Amino acid sequence: MIFIGKRSVLCIVAALAVLALTGAGIFAVSATVEAQIVPVGAVVAIDAGHGGYDGGVVGVSGTRESELNLALALLLGDLLKARGVHVVYTRTTDEALGDTKRDDMKARAEIIRGSRPDCVISLHLNSYPDKTRRGVQVFYDDTGRGGSFASYMQERLNATINYKYSKRCDLAPQAGDFYITKCAGVPSVIIECGFISNAEDESLLKSKAFRRELCTEIADATLTAVS
């Protein structure tokens, strides 16, 4: 007899729900999703967190967050552009956008606002003292804007990436006072693409195959939620 834990049951249900929406070619989600505002051909601003002197967090083997953020951002942009989306990046090289963190963030906000985006995706990596912590987690503006988009993104990533690689699908999107998610007045999310403090997550993030798998899910979730 096979006993299935409560967490596994929830993960299976979540995965089936995502497949029901996407596997049959149904590009729609709950009516509460702030989707329908970003049709194919619209603008998505992609922000690769950190850069240059600001390397972000460092992985257990010495990997710099900023380098992986950039690799993920460029790949996600390519996948979205291939689907007919106009993409604007805040940075395309491993350099900061200002001499200070304040100037860097201000420059990012100016690029994002100037692009008049329909949504914003900022990519980062997580770090935590507990080295066993794993998974991809989504954050959004604490005013509530983007909450539905963040919820759908998290549900999809839970049912695919998180369940496949860490056997968990209980991560929930978190609201907060984040500068980037508030700078443009459109649905915006920060995606922490894994815990670089965890050796397994770091190893996956250094893999081109995994980055493509992750970015494909993010791209598909974006288009599903906003088509």
Side-chain angles (χ1 to χ4, degrees):
M1 181 177 293
I2 299 174
F3 294 92
I4 302 177
K6 182 178 181 181
R7 175 180 290 182
S8 296
V9 171
L10 292 174
C11 287
I12 292 170
V13 171
L16 290 174
V18 169
L19 288 173
L21 287 171
T22 60
I26 301 174
F27 292 97
V29 292
S30 167
T32 62
V33 172
E34 300 152 23
Q36 313 309 323
I37 57 170
V38 185
V40 171
V43 179
V44 175
I46 300 177
D47 172 56
H50 306 283
Y53 59 81
D54 177 16
V57 296
V58 179
V60 291
S61 71
T63 308
R64 281 165 45 101
E65 177 190 359
S66 60
E67 296 172 359
L68 289 176
N69 290 344
L70 180 59
L72 288 162
L74 295 176
L75 178 55
L76 175 61
D78 285 345
L79 293 171
L80 287 171
K81 286 187 286 186
R83 291 161 169 77
V85 174
H86 180 65
V87 173
V88 174
Y89 303 97
T90 57
R91 68 180 179 97
T92 56
T93 63
D94 192 22
E95 298 177 0
L97 279 66
D99 293 333
T100 67
K101 184 64 176 178
R102 180 184 180 86
D103 289 342
D104 175 81
M105 296 302 289
K106 182 178 179 181
R108 291 169 192 269
E110 289 174 352
I111 291 171
I112 290 171
R113 284 194 293 264
S115 71
R116 299 174 63 88
D118 295 284
C119 72
V120 180
I121 300 173
S122 183
L123 301 176
H124 286 258
L125 300 180
N126 230 328
S127 182
Y128 198 71
D130 179 355
K131 304 299 185 184
T132 66
R133 188 69 64 88
R134 300 187 64 185
V136 185
Q137 189 162 23
V138 183
F139 296 80
Y140 64 99
D141 185 352
D142 60 8
T143 64
R145 183 186 296 114
S148 296
F149 180 39
S151 293
Y152 180 75
M153 180 69 71
Q154 184 70 72
E155 288 171 5
R156 175 150 188 153
L157 292 173
N158 278 348
T160 55
I161 301 298
N162 287 340
Y163 179 59
K164 178 178 180 179
Y165 291 99
S166 59
K167 292 298 182 286
R168 64 178 304 179
C169 63
D170 56 343
L171 288 173
Q174 300 293 317
D177 183 12
F178 306 114
Y179 182 76
I180 286 295
T181 62
K182 293 185 175 182
C183 72
V186 298
S188 306
V189 293
I190 295 172
I191 303 178
E192 298 279 355
C193 296
F195 282 80
I196 200 170
S197 51
N198 175 275
E200 293 171 286
D201 270 10
E202 183 193 32
S203 179
L204 285 171
L205 288 160
K206 291 167 67 176
S207 160
K208 290 182 179 180
F210 175 78
R211 292 200 299 267
R212 176 165 290 276
E213 183 178 359
L214 172 59
C215 287
T216 297
E217 292 298 339
I218 293 173
D220 289 350
T222 299
L223 290 181
T224 301
V226 299
S227 296

